[in-house]
Amino acid sequence: MTRKVETLARFSLFKSLSAADVARLDTQCLWRRAREKECIVDFQDDSSDVYFVAYGDVRVSIQSAAGKELILRVIAAGEYFGEISALDGKPRSAAVHAITDAVIARMSPGAFREVIHRHPDVCDQILAALTGEVRRLATRVNEFTNLSVRERIHAELLRLARRGGADDMRGVISPPPTHAELAARVSTHREAVTRELNSLERAGLLERRRGSIVLLDLAKLAESVAGAQ
């Protein structure tokens, strides 16, 4: 592990800080590696540290009483998690597992609060991120309430897709999620995802390529979702 990796300077959250301020924060973090599939934070854990993902991907999920996993979001390198418990001191509202091997910095809630209070730009970014999370969760609740499984799959595919340009009506999902992962994102079972992806492929709306899924008509998929709401 190199010192280049072990710094918060890579995180946009701290872009307004001086090099000296970032270096001081670096020393207040505990840096560690998380292995693929490792549980980093468990649901209802009473810890309150904030975690910064320097390398790798992790997923945030909750589990029903029956043991069914619902994936809430994926956190990539350069992002962070755990800020809610750091701010309100309450147990974790979700579990976090490493999708890949990852390098993570752990910061105490005291240090996190201090940097928020000392740096208005950091505070503004935290507020924007929390607001965005509220909006995302409201959207998910709306989808689970009003959309069928088929329409929820369409909505999730649209969220995952990257558009090539403003005039490009195609979207690329790379790397593609497994059918089980996509099912966990929309609260259904793997077989339903397989059926719907096959149906989209037959309809000429989806193409499978090596290492990616291509959505061939984003507007048509969006129409199917909007028409159901």
Side-chain angles (χ1 to χ4, degrees):
M1 195 183 305
T2 65
R3 185 61 193 171
K4 183 178 180 181
V5 172
E6 294 181 0
T7 179
L8 297 174
R10 307 176 62 197
F11 292 78
S12 60
L13 181 63
F14 304 114
K15 63 185 178 182
S16 64
L17 274 63
S18 68
D21 284 334
V22 171
R24 185 173 64 86
L25 281 178
D26 287 342
T27 64
Q28 295 178 314
C29 291
L30 176 64
W31 296 82
R32 60 171 290 240
R33 288 185 182 273
R35 298 302 180 187
E36 180 182 351
K37 298 183 180 180
E38 179 182 336
C39 180
I40 302 168
V41 170
D42 206 357
F43 176 65
Q44 290 294 298
D45 192 300
D46 60 3
S47 65
S48 54
D49 293 328
V50 182
Y51 294 80
F52 297 88
V53 183
Y55 171 81
D57 297 313
V58 304
R59 74 174 183 272
V60 183
S61 63
I62 56 176
Q63 200 167 58
S64 70
K68 185 177 181 180
E69 183 185 39
L70 174 61
I71 297 176
L72 298 178
R73 62 179 295 212
V74 171
I75 296 174
E79 300 179 330
Y80 57 92
F81 62 91
E83 71 279 11
I84 293 177
S85 289
L87 293 172
D88 67 12
K90 295 182 179 179
R92 304 292 185 179
S93 58
V96 181
H97 290 79
I99 299 174
T100 65
D101 288 351
V103 175
I104 298 172
R106 190 177 76 195
M107 181 186 291
S108 72
F112 184 66
R113 285 174 172 272
E114 180 184 0
V115 72
I116 290 175
H117 293 155
R118 286 171 56 108
H119 301 280
D121 178 68
V122 174
C123 181
D124 288 345
Q125 289 188 70
I126 295 293
L127 290 174
L130 291 173
T131 302
E133 187 61 22
V134 170
R135 291 184 183 276
R136 279 192 295 272
L137 291 175
T139 297
R140 298 293 292 275
V141 170
N142 179 56
E143 289 176 358
F144 289 139
T145 302
N146 297 311
L147 300 186
S148 67
V149 169
R150 173 177 178 271
E151 291 152 355
R152 294 204 303 272
I153 292 172
H154 291 186
E156 191 64 27
L157 289 173
L158 288 168
R159 266 192 293 270
L160 293 172
R162 298 193 308 273
R163 182 178 293 188
D167 298 326
D168 190 354
M169 293 313 298
R170 297 178 302 170
V172 178
I173 304 173
S174 179
T178 65
H179 292 192
E181 180 187 342
L182 190 53
R185 286 174 174 267
V186 300
S187 189
T188 188
H189 49 84
R190 181 176 54 82
E191 292 77 12
V193 170
T194 299
R195 284 196 301 270
E196 185 53 34
L197 294 185
N198 289 339
S199 176
L200 289 172
E201 192 169 24
R202 289 193 299 270
L205 296 175
L206 180 147
E207 182 178 294
R208 303 174 205 254
R209 298 179 183 174
R210 185 174 182 178
S212 67
I213 292 175
V214 181
L215 307 180
L216 300 173
D217 193 336
L218 295 175
K220 192 163 186 178
L221 276 180
E223 286 174 8
S224 73
V225 175
Q229 292 178 325

